[in-house]
Amino acid sequence: MHRVINILSPVLLAGCIGASADVNRQDGVNDSEVALVIPLDRPFNLFPGERGAEQRLTAMGGFIRGQVLAVPDGNTLTVLIGNGKETVQLIGIDAPETDQAPWGPEATAALRALVEGRSVRLELDAARRDHARRLQVYVFVGDRSVNLEMIRQGQALAATRPLNTTHAEEYLQAEREAREAGRGLWNAAHPLPISPDCHRKRQAGQPC
């Protein structure tokens, strides 16, 4: 019996844990520290239908490695993960819409300056996708939180949504600091007139 256990254990472990030894020189993060797969009791396939795709997604302290391909607005990225593209949305922030000039274009430019073309670390929270199937993530370049930096710069509001609340208090504090300092959309000379959420509702003919 002991011999069977000794034979099976490495096989099971190989199916639960993986790592790469590549060092990303751009952001200083060693890929060998990255757990590459989902625990067997929490299966999740990042690219449905693709064999072995669940081994690219991380959970429980791990993260996803990706390369930013495009920044369409101040909340959203197009990221290359493995051989597939994913649209990802930054958790906990709400940047002005692109047609809320000049604040929306400024937020997009700020996010591009932080991540465009960069290798990023994507961390998940409880709710992994939104209604549009966009991956919900905390984005890091090295140890720098991009979500938090967007709020600190006054380029986005803190936005708490159900389930994904890990950094909610930290983001609200950053928003208070940005507002008191008059940064970005909090600039007293030219403040954002309505929130992005209210703007979206008005565009849809709804009250806010």
Side-chain angles (χ1 to χ4, degrees):
M1 183 65 178
H2 290 294
R3 293 181 64 185
V4 174
I5 292 174
N6 289 337
I7 292 171
L8 290 180
S9 295
V11 175
L12 292 175
L13 288 174
C16 296
I17 301 174
S20 166
D22 181 45
V23 176
N24 186 302
R25 297 181 182 275
Q26 187 175 39
D27 60 17
V29 176
N30 190 335
D31 285 348
S32 65
E33 300 171 356
V34 183
L36 296 180
V37 296
I38 284 290
L40 297 178
D41 62 340
R42 293 181 59 190
F44 182 80
N45 201 339
L46 184 57
F47 303 111
E50 185 176 331
R51 186 177 180 181
E54 69 277 0
Q55 293 188 349
R56 293 199 196 90
L57 189 67
T58 63
M60 295 183 176
F63 56 83
I64 306 165
R65 172 74 67 193
Q67 187 80 19
V68 177
L69 301 177
V71 183
D73 59 44
N75 301 302
T76 314
L77 307 175
T78 302
V79 180
L80 181 67
I81 302 174
N83 294 321
K85 294 180 184 179
E86 276 282 331
T87 299
V88 306
Q89 187 176 49
L90 278 66
I91 296 172
I93 78 169
D94 196 6
E97 298 295 322
T98 54
D99 59 351
Q100 287 185 275
W103 306 275
E106 288 174 356
T108 304
L111 186 54
R112 282 177 180 155
L114 290 169
V115 302
E116 192 168 42
R118 305 292 298 275
S119 174
V120 291
R121 185 172 87 243
L122 308 177
E123 295 187 359
L124 306 174
D125 210 327
R128 291 173 174 168
R129 292 188 185 270
D130 66 3
H131 65 283
R133 300 297 297 157
R134 293 174 296 191
L135 200 63
Q136 304 291 288
V137 297
Y138 301 106
V139 180
F140 293 84
V141 174
D143 292 329
R144 189 182 198 184
S145 169
V146 175
N147 307 49
L148 183 63
E149 188 62 24
M150 286 291 289
I151 298 172
R152 279 178 174 163
Q153 291 183 16
Q155 299 297 342
L157 301 172
T160 302
R161 295 184 176 88
L163 300 180
N164 292 346
T165 59
T166 299
H167 299 286
E169 288 301 318
E170 186 180 6
Y171 289 0
L172 288 171
Q173 178 59 34
E175 181 182 282
R176 285 191 288 269
E177 292 174 1
R179 183 171 61 246
E180 291 170 2
R183 302 187 197 116
L185 56 82
W186 302 109
N187 189 326
H190 196 44
L192 182 70
I194 61 172
S195 70
D197 182 60
C198 183
H199 176 77
R200 288 189 293 270
K201 288 178 179 177
R202 288 186 179 180
Q203 291 294 94
Q206 301 172 357
C208 63

